[in-house]
Amino acid sequence: MLVRIRAEYSIGPELRFLSNLDTMHMMERALRRAKIPFALTEGFNPHIRLSMGTVLPVGLWGKKEYFDLELAQAMPLDELRDKLNQVLPAGARIEQVRPIDDNAPSLMKAVNCAAYGFLIRMPEEDISNICQNILKSDSLPVRSRGKKKGVDKDLRRGIYKLDLQPSDECFCLMIWVGTGEPLNIRYDELLDLLQQQGVPSEAILDVFREGNYIRVNERLYSPLEG
Amino acid sequence: MKDKLFREILPRVSKPIRYTGNELNIIKKDWDKSRVKMVFAFPDVYEVGMSHIGGRILYGLINETTDHVLERCFAPWPDMEKIMREEGIPLYSLESYRPLTDFEVVGFSLQYELSATNILNMLDLAGIPVFSHQRTDEHPLILGGGPVAFNPEPFSDFFDLFMIGDGEEALPELLDEVERVRNLPRKEKLLRLAQMEGIYVPFLYKVTYNSDGCLSSMEPVHPDVPGRVRKRIVADLDTAYYPDKPILPYMTVVHDRAVLEVMRGCQRGCRFCHAGMVYRPVRERSLETLRRQARAQLGNTGYEEISLASLSTLDYTGVHPLVKGLVEEHGAQGVGVALPSLRVDAFSIDLANEVQKVRKTTLTLAPEAGTQRLRDVINKNVSEQQLFEAVEAAFKSGWLSIKLYFMIGLPTETEEDLDGILNLLQEVKRIGDQYSPRPVEVRASIACFVPKAHTPFQWQPQDSIEVLQQKINYMTRRRRKGIKLSFHDSRVSYLEGLIARGDRRLGQVIYKAWQNGAVFDGWSEYFHFEYWQKALAEAGIDPDFYVTRPRSYEELLPWDFIDSGISKAFLRHENEKALRGETTLDCRLEDCTGCGVCPSFEVEVDLRGEIAGAH
């Protein structure tokens, strides 16, 4: 009787250079150390039924990332979260764990929106103008950084919202974009856009992913809601 | 510096987590409260260095059981090195991000002859003069250890001292002594350290040469310094320290698993094998100790695989119950047991089935030579029947991938022996096709024989590059379908041979090769034979003198002053037997072969399980 659960976790700045594979191994090993009753696949090379649904790009830290896990037997999910946090290295933390319906779509299919945060040191007026310019534009062509090389992508359609907040002596610019299908906007394409718009690269002090979401009819839902 | 690294530098390099540290189980001690500060410098990239068991042992040993501190440092990949030089970032330790010059001792593990240029490069990146004689009291002591230190001479220009043999007792002792002599001037410090058993300080010995180029003498220049340096050994391996909480790397390293060192030493007596000679006598760990260590390691890491490491794991007298026990205890969590390269004759169907219950890894076997005649010459006591039985058992149990190790360039080798390799492989494939339900993969990795110091073959010439290349071409042309052959680069093997049996005069060659740009010589994408050829020419050295020249029994060899416990007479006797095609048996199962190591160290072969029974 397999129990399907979904976990929300964070990766702090000290672990920003881990690749997805590294993060997956880290979680697998933590699951074993914490003696979580995970389910294994059948066959000659059994592995843990862990699915790293959201892929945090190398170089970014993230507040709300997600993975799905199948358990071989049920256990209280608060206990699962606490046990894992006891063994995880500093910088990785499970925030929440919820059960998920067997029929719920996979994270890869369901998650279609991400919010990226950029820590920018620039005069308020300049960065404000840039934000307004982005929102006013009809199209924002940027060279694609994904698999389709050499083609331009129009980012405008995929930018849902901008928010600028003061942060210490800088500003934190949050940009909500579409991910997955049909339009996938990457953080490095957003960096290119910002540079195009006049933000010097030295002015960008940090980049992180604030969260991953399921966007339906302009409303954002947490992937934990299934 | 850490901030600058994270923000500006690491995003620009490949695999930045090689350089960030902060792994699970890392040990960060209070710097000011620690006594001697040492950094363990591994002269290769992180992924390779973190797979090295010796490093894990010393790291835990010093940090957990002493008040000294041991931090780690690895060779930066060329892209990172370039940026470090541009930005003025010195080579730093992963625990505290301190430059190596903050430490009192920098210890390099000499695992491979061609890590020489990486060592010079790392010293240079650390701002430490590469030549020993250029260092002053403000520089750390540069220490070398590991198997290649059994012939330390080619490296003697660059190291202040070497530690020969097992480190479990010697290193803490050395660090205690380093603390005691801390305030002495450098040369006196080294003189005191040279009096410790197992420590070799090059500048305290004078070497002279004959007109024919061979060594004439090697003598200490001070009465308190020993004429021969005797290796250190840990007599009771079962009670020796072994780490329960190894550092867990984030990135994928070469050996991503928990490792149990089931025993040290090997007494099979394969005549080409350096490790088999210098790590004698055999000392095993007990089953209870190993099971306890397995539980602790898996509990502290969460690894999905555990491996049994030693020179000849199937010779461990408790291997069957150990494997059975590990599978029973940990298999349900999906943890697999990995067996490294296996001796063909001790292979058993039972064992195969135990391991295959959980997960399959590639099965590796090492026949080494293609005909019985040649196997007898090198004393690898394996028959064809045993090999085919083992292979059949493996394929029937579900293994789909088999890798076989061979060497070419062995003494007395003929074309028949090369054909023998190909025939063996073909038969293995045929057996696979017959017994396996799915297509099988048969691969052969073929190395070029490099004669090593302290072995019976230390007097043998190595095949020249031309001859090796001819043999490689011969075999490649006759390769059968469906069998993958991969060959080591004969030019790399040539340089390995140069350093493996070299003397002090090669220091200039290594230095010049590094100046010409040689680095990461063991990696094909960075290997440039021309840098070495140029260095040899500049230094006026004929490499064939070291590599392809047959040596006489009367010659004083550059490593004779290192006492491995094995008598030179024994080695010579074994070489003679080899040329007659006579085998020597395993001293655990038959009579003592008289190598000399047990009486020399007042130890015995130490077995902890039931004898597995010779086949």
Side-chain angles (χ1 to χ4, degrees):
Chain A
M1 209 355 255
L2 295 182
V3 178
R4 203 173 153 204
I5 60 157
R6 183 163 288 174
E8 179 183 280
Y9 67 96
S10 62
I11 295 285
E14 56 271 57
L15 295 182
R16 65 196 310 150
F17 294 114
L18 263 66
S19 73
N20 191 44
L21 194 65
D22 299 332
T23 311
M24 185 174 83
H25 286 157
M26 179 182 69
M27 288 303 174
E28 283 174 341
R29 291 166 187 169
L31 287 166
R32 285 194 204 97
R33 289 197 298 281
K35 301 200 187 325
I36 306 295
F38 46 75
L40 288 169
T41 60
E42 316 280 320
F44 280 134
N45 254 321
H47 51 267
I48 303 178
R49 285 186 185 268
L50 170 71
S51 165
M52 305 296 287
T54 60
V55 176
L56 189 61
V58 174
L60 266 61
W61 56 278
K63 294 187 183 177
K64 296 205 275 252
E65 301 296 313
Y66 300 88
F67 67 75
D68 282 350
L69 176 68
E70 286 179 49
L71 301 178
Q73 72 197 60
M75 73 178 282
L77 297 184
D78 280 351
E79 198 185 306
L80 191 150
R81 178 199 61 201
D82 293 340
K83 276 188 163 171
L84 271 179
N85 282 333
Q86 264 163 29
V87 299
L88 278 169
R93 216 169 79 113
I94 309 293
E95 305 290 346
Q96 281 191 75
V97 184
R98 298 261 185 90
I100 210 105
D101 203 62
D102 278 347
N103 302 321
S106 70
L107 281 163
M108 289 256 165
K109 294 209 172 84
V111 169
N112 60 3
C113 173
Y116 290 100
F118 299 87
L119 203 60
I120 300 177
R121 182 182 283 138
M122 258 183 113
E124 177 166 11
E125 202 189 326
D126 297 347
I127 186 67
S128 244
N129 286 339
I130 289 175
C131 290
Q132 281 170 32
N133 201 39
I134 289 176
L135 290 170
K136 273 192 313 211
S137 309
D138 286 328
S139 87
L140 295 164
V142 164
R143 183 79 356 148
S144 167
R145 289 236 186 197
K147 289 189 181 127
K148 285 201 196 120
K149 301 241 182 280
V151 188
D152 273 2
K153 204 188 257 183
D154 179 10
L155 300 192
R156 185 60 192 91
R157 290 187 305 124
I159 294 180
Y160 304 134
K161 186 173 146 186
L162 250 61
D163 186 53
L164 189 66
Q165 296 291 339
S167 167
D168 284 332
E169 290 160 6
C170 313
F171 290 92
C172 184
L173 171 62
M174 296 262 272
I175 309 183
W176 281 256
V177 294
T179 57
E181 300 297 323
L183 183 61
N184 182 51
I185 302 206
R186 295 161 51 114
Y187 85 96
D188 44 10
E189 288 162 354
L190 290 176
L191 279 173
D192 289 341
L193 173 68
L194 290 175
Q195 276 184 31
Q196 261 178 26
Q197 294 282 322
V199 181
S201 56
E202 316 82 70
I204 302 179
L205 304 180
D206 201 1
V207 186
F208 62 96
R209 185 147 75 187
E210 190 279 337
N212 290 281
Y213 303 96
I214 301 174
R215 186 173 183 267
V216 180
N217 297 330
E218 306 198 7
R219 281 197 62 185
L220 294 183
Y221 299 90
S222 161
L224 289 176
E225 296 170 62
Chain B
M1 180 181 83
K2 190 168 174 180
D3 209 49
K4 183 176 184 186
L5 271 167
F6 268 70
R7 221 163 261 229
E8 292 168 29
I9 298 186
L10 295 181
R12 292 153 63 188
V13 301
S14 59
K15 302 193 186 171
I17 50 171
R18 287 166 170 155
Y19 314 107
T20 51
N22 221 23
E23 306 97 320
L24 194 80
N25 299 335
I26 194 177
I27 301 176
K28 290 187 189 174
K29 290 173 89 157
D30 186 323
W31 185 264
D32 298 311
K33 295 209 180 98
S34 301
R35 291 160 55 202
V36 175
K37 283 88 162 158
M38 175 171 167
V39 61
F40 177 80
F42 194 90
D44 209 320
V45 76
Y46 181 89
E47 304 90 283
V48 176
M50 284 302 290
S51 305
H52 171 53
I53 305 174
R56 289 190 199 190
I57 295 175
L58 295 179
Y59 186 80
L61 173 77
I62 301 300
N63 287 324
E64 288 170 16
T65 73
T66 76
D67 291 327
H68 306 297
V69 68
L70 184 67
E71 302 197 357
R72 296 164 300 150
C73 176
F74 302 92
W77 198 244
D79 61 348
M80 174 68 169
E81 180 199 331
K82 181 161 176 287
I83 299 181
M84 284 173 77
R85 287 189 192 273
E86 279 165 12
E87 303 283 340
I89 307 255
L91 196 56
Y92 60 88
S93 68
L94 289 180
E95 275 66 17
S96 59
Y97 281 70
R98 283 176 196 267
L100 297 199
T101 40
D102 280 5
F103 293 80
E104 264 180 278
V105 181
V106 178
F108 284 93
S109 182
L110 299 172
Q111 293 291 316
Y112 176 52
E113 291 86 0
L114 295 187
S115 49
T117 52
N118 275 8
I119 293 170
L120 296 194
N121 208 34
M122 286 171 78
L123 286 171
D124 187 54
L125 266 172
I128 298 171
V130 305
F131 285 102
S132 166
H133 67 82
Q134 290 171 333
R135 292 175 201 138
T136 69
D137 287 337
E138 21 168 282
H139 298 118
L141 293 173
I142 308 300
L143 167 71
V148 170
F150 276 84
N151 177 23
E153 290 298 86
F155 301 88
S156 47
D157 281 351
F158 315 112
F159 282 88
D160 300 317
L161 70 169
F162 292 91
M163 189 167 79
I164 316 290
D166 293 345
E168 281 92 337
E169 287 160 16
L171 188 59
E173 218 178 280
L174 178 69
L175 294 181
D176 287 344
E177 190 64 14
V178 164
E179 191 183 21
R180 260 177 243 129
V181 301
R182 201 173 244 169
N183 296 316
L184 294 177
R186 199 176 182 87
K187 288 213 160 124
E188 274 166 57
K189 214 185 263 195
L190 288 170
L191 176 60
R192 284 277 293 272
L193 296 174
Q195 290 162 50
M196 205 181 114
E197 194 181 353
I199 299 294
Y200 164 52
V201 176
F203 93 94
L204 290 171
Y205 293 78
K206 184 166 148 68
V207 180
T208 59
Y209 303 93
N210 289 329
S211 50
D212 64 3
C214 299
L215 250 68
S216 170
S217 70
M218 180 164 175
E219 299 292 330
V221 303
H222 193 283
D224 293 342
V225 172
R228 290 191 88 198
V229 176
R230 215 159 86 118
K231 76 174 186 187
R232 295 293 296 258
I233 74 169
V234 167
D236 185 354
L237 193 68
D238 197 42
T239 54
Y241 173 83
Y242 196 78
D244 279 342
K245 250 183 144 180
I247 297 181
L248 193 54
Y250 289 116
M251 67 182 297
T252 307
V253 297
V254 177
H255 293 304
D256 242 339
R257 51 188 73 89
V259 180
L260 292 179
E261 186 189 14
V262 304
M263 63 184 185
R264 203 172 286 183
C266 178
Q267 68 312 307
R268 288 278 179 168
C270 304
R271 293 172 177 138
F272 55 86
C273 181
H274 178 262
M277 293 290 151
V278 306
Y279 282 108
R280 291 186 179 199
V282 171
R283 296 147 285 157
E284 296 187 345
R285 284 197 158 95
S286 67
L287 282 169
E288 307 86 72
T289 301
L290 292 170
R291 284 183 187 133
R292 188 179 39 80
Q293 288 176 351
R295 236 170 266 136
Q297 275 197 61
L298 290 172
N300 288 322
T301 59
Y303 273 126
E304 63 175 9
E305 204 169 84
I306 185 156
S307 135
L308 309 184
S310 71
L311 293 173
S312 182
T313 297
L314 286 179
D315 283 341
Y316 172 61
T317 53
V319 72
H320 285 248
L322 178 64
V323 171
K324 264 192 155 81
L326 288 175
V327 170
E328 260 165 34
E329 197 177 338
H330 306 287
Q333 282 86 51
V335 174
V337 177
L339 298 170
S341 171
L342 307 175
R343 277 201 66 99
V344 169
D345 56 343
F347 190 92
S348 81
I349 300 172
D350 272 349
L351 203 62
N353 288 334
E354 283 308 323
V355 174
Q356 70 96 57
K357 259 193 214 154
V358 186
R359 65 178 70 243
K360 282 286 186 321
T361 44
T362 301
L363 193 70
T364 42
L365 303 170
E368 305 291 8
T371 60
Q372 196 56 48
R373 185 202 69 82
L374 191 51
R375 282 194 293 273
D376 287 349
V377 166
I378 65 179
N379 207 39
K380 186 96 190 204
N381 297 320
V382 162
S383 74
E384 257 162 43
Q385 193 196 357
Q386 285 165 339
L387 172 64
F388 296 143
E389 272 172 14
V391 162
E392 189 181 312
F395 284 130
K396 277 181 177 161
S397 303
W399 255 283
L400 296 173
S401 173
I402 290 203
K403 185 172 179 184
L404 294 125
Y405 286 108
F406 290 98
M407 279 184 284
I408 53 172
L410 290 166
T412 75
E413 187 175 78
T414 65
E415 228 169 61
E416 253 174 49
D417 301 305
L418 304 180
D419 290 332
I421 296 179
L422 296 167
N423 293 336
L424 271 180
L425 290 168
Q426 187 171 37
E427 182 60 15
V428 167
K429 179 90 177 35
R430 192 198 64 73
I431 295 176
D433 291 336
Q434 182 179 352
Y435 289 105
S436 171
R438 281 150 63 186
V440 302
E441 185 187 50
V442 175
R443 292 178 290 154
S445 173
I446 302 176
C448 304
F449 170 59
V450 175
K452 298 278 174 129
H454 298 287
T455 66
F457 288 157
Q458 62 185 7
W459 294 279
Q460 296 283 349
Q462 182 172 332
D463 271 356
S464 70
I465 294 175
E466 293 73 39
V467 167
L468 285 170
Q469 208 45 55
Q470 277 163 22
K471 294 182 176 180
I472 292 173
N473 294 342
Y474 178 87
M475 292 184 70
T476 309
R477 275 197 307 271
R478 283 166 184 69
R479 179 188 32 165
R480 314 297 152 80
K481 252 192 85 169
I483 297 174
K484 290 193 191 136
L485 297 181
S486 68
F487 293 94
H488 287 206
D489 188 329
S490 55
R491 299 164 310 161
V492 174
S493 303
Y494 185 81
L495 293 177
E496 288 169 9
L498 175 69
I499 296 183
R501 292 184 301 159
D503 58 39
R504 291 193 169 189
R505 294 171 290 188
L506 294 182
Q508 280 302 307
V509 177
I510 294 172
Y511 178 70
K512 289 183 196 311
W514 169 65
Q515 295 252 285
N516 292 341
V519 85
F520 282 103
D521 290 303
W523 294 74
S524 55
E525 64 259 50
Y526 287 104
F527 176 65
H528 291 279
F529 192 51
E530 338 61 276
Y531 295 162
W532 287 88
Q533 287 172 310
K534 194 158 163 264
L536 286 158
E538 284 165 10
I541 300 249
D542 171 23
D544 283 345
F545 177 82
Y546 299 96
V547 186
T548 59
R549 176 176 66 92
R551 306 202 184 204
S552 91
Y553 289 134
E554 282 66 51
E555 199 177 318
L556 175 64
L557 300 168
W559 53 89
D560 276 345
F561 77 104
I562 301 274
D563 182 5
S564 69
I566 297 196
S567 72
K568 206 169 175 186
F570 172 76
L571 295 177
R572 175 173 173 166
H573 188 56
E574 280 295 301
N575 191 36
E576 291 297 313
K577 282 176 86 171
L579 300 173
R580 292 194 298 267
E582 283 171 35
T583 59
T584 295
L585 296 170
D586 185 334
C587 73
R588 298 173 315 151
L589 309 171
E590 312 288 336
D591 294 331
C592 167
T593 56
C595 76
V597 87
C598 291
S600 172
F601 285 91
E602 289 167 18
V603 289
E604 277 175 11
V605 167
D606 183 3
L607 306 177
R608 299 293 178 116
E610 341 78 58
I611 291 277
H615 283 232

